[in-house]
Amino acid sequence: MASAGPYAAESNAEDAAQLAVLGYKTQFDRNMSLWENFALGFTYLSPVVGVYTLFAFCLATGGPPMVWSYILVGFGQFLVCLVFCEVVSQFPIAGGVYPWARRLVGKRWAWMVGWGYAWALFASIAGIAAGCGPYLAQLIGLEPSPHVNITVALSLIAVTTMINVMGTHFLATVAMIGFICELAGALVVGGYLLIFERVQSFSVLFDTFSIGEGAGGYLPAFLAAALGAFFQYYGFEACGDMAEETPNPSRQIPRAMRMTIYIGGGAALFILFALVLSVPDIGKVIRGEDTDPVMTVLTNAFGPFGARMVLLVVMVSFLSCLLSLQAAASRLLFAYARDEMIVFSGALRRISVNHHVPVVALVVAGVLPAAIVCAGAFVQDIVTTIISFGAIGIYFAFQMIVAAALIARIRGWKPSGYFTMGRFAWVVNIAALVYGVGAIANMVWPRTPDAVWYVNYGMLLTTVIVFTTGLLYMLIAKPYDRSDAPASDAWLISPRHA
């Protein structure tokens, strides 16, 4: 909600002064509260969307023990989150990872981070919109099909674009409503399943159902099924994307980021355990006979009408998630354009007079994912393929920030924001980097040698193409030389203010 009164005016003046020290002037409305900023991160992480979208794939690939990958990945991502908290506390600038990279290492590094992260966001928007199709089709009584999925995806992207254009306050309100609905739905549905519909014993969580026997053991299957966990635990960085729209961001955004991991990750685990323990025949899922175990569980538990009511909550979750992703992508494009790092910078950095949001950037953040959705009509298993690149692209960008923080520390950076890790900073930073490199290696590892090449190597090939294209453009066009905005100065300044 918007702030009011003399205290709010004084706070906004201090925030504007801090931003000026960092080299920029205030253009957005600072009317997003701590809880609204957190709601944006929560709905981006979206435990319902994250679990429901890839539940069938993860359970069929790794069996019930795949649930433990969510705990392991959650811990690793929390280390990354702590590094981000330290950075954003000192550099609360719109666009998140791009301006952080610019200050921690330099303009070229920042270009590559922003390029990879932007395309990963576009892919994530497209993948989640496409993944919503089967649920909406079942909600309104249609038979899921590629045509229906694409129509639903394009419609959702159009709706989220229109909502985002209405301004920060409206976005924050919708995100808060989405958070409340999603968390309440997760707790009610998960609780009901565990209390009344649990058909599996807790020991099943350690039962591999003979997956991997005679083919290298269970570990490869467990690592492959961890894709769902990798997809689940990002979104906290979106809190930082809205830094110039949140009062007292140096304090509030690190809190919102950690809350996203605590509450969003906890809700995801709760839903995941409830679903696994309520699947009536896990063997059928693993054999491919039950391709939609989520709907199987919901229909068994609540009947056709009740399952549709649950799907209504799922639809709200998908919509809220897309809103948050698109908002994050638009702020990244705005930050890029403000520093003249991209073509059409004049249009992309323009802030609307009435709603104080970057309208052109928001439209681009809708059009490009829509194009990806349409192109995906010709690709086998499109949702998993798109989401896979979205996850790997974001993890690459994350690890470039983690590595940037480590490089800056070596150069003498001593974090001076309100949040610091103190004597644990080096250990956490190094551990986050080791974890991230391992996560990326796991995600790109080809695991289906019998599949067509673009399925087996699609994630790796797409990642190489995206980052190589960005590198070539950077080297040829030199977009980083178009602006004199501050860069490579993390170890030289201390913008903390009282």
Side-chain angles (χ1 to χ4, degrees), residues 301-318:
F302 304 105
F305 178 78
R308 288 189 177 185
M309 292 301 98
V310 175
L311 285 179
L312 192 59
V313 175
V314 173
M315 288 303 305
V316 172
S317 301
F318 270 96

Side-chain angles (χ1 to χ4, degrees), residues 286-308:
I286 294 172
R287 292 190 299 272
E289 297 171 14
D290 182 356
T291 59
D292 193 353
V294 172
M295 278 306 299
T296 300
V297 169
L298 295 180
T299 303
N300 287 345
F302 304 105
F305 178 78
R308 288 189 177 185

